[in-house]
Amino acid sequence: METTISSSSTIAIIIQTLTFILYIAILIGGIYLITSIKSIKKRLDVLEKEK
């Protein structure tokens, strides 16, 4: 009985940790995506001005 309780709580902790890591990864990915899009727009603007 005690082993099943401890294993289920361990699984819960693992799931929470994975969810937290996933959340951080999405956050970082979103920030990186926004900055990369901004930099691409700047490059496009520069290329258009050179024409």
Side-chain angles (χ1 to χ4, degrees):
M1 197 70 181
E2 285 176 25
T3 52
T4 52
I5 291 162
S6 64
S7 66
S8 65
S9 66
T10 307
I11 289 162
I13 290 162
I14 290 164
I15 289 164
Q16 281 183 325
T17 310
L18 286 172
T19 312
F20 185 68
I21 291 163
L22 195 76
Y23 179 73
I24 290 167
I26 290 164
L27 217 102
I28 292 165
I31 292 163
Y32 179 75
L33 203 79
I34 289 162
T35 50
S36 62
I37 287 165
K38 282 181 179 177
S39 65
I40 288 164
K41 280 184 177 178
K42 282 180 184 175
R43 284 178 191 171
L44 287 171
D45 288 342
V46 169
L47 284 170
E48 283 178 11
K49 284 177 183 176
E50 284 178 359
K51 286 178 185 176

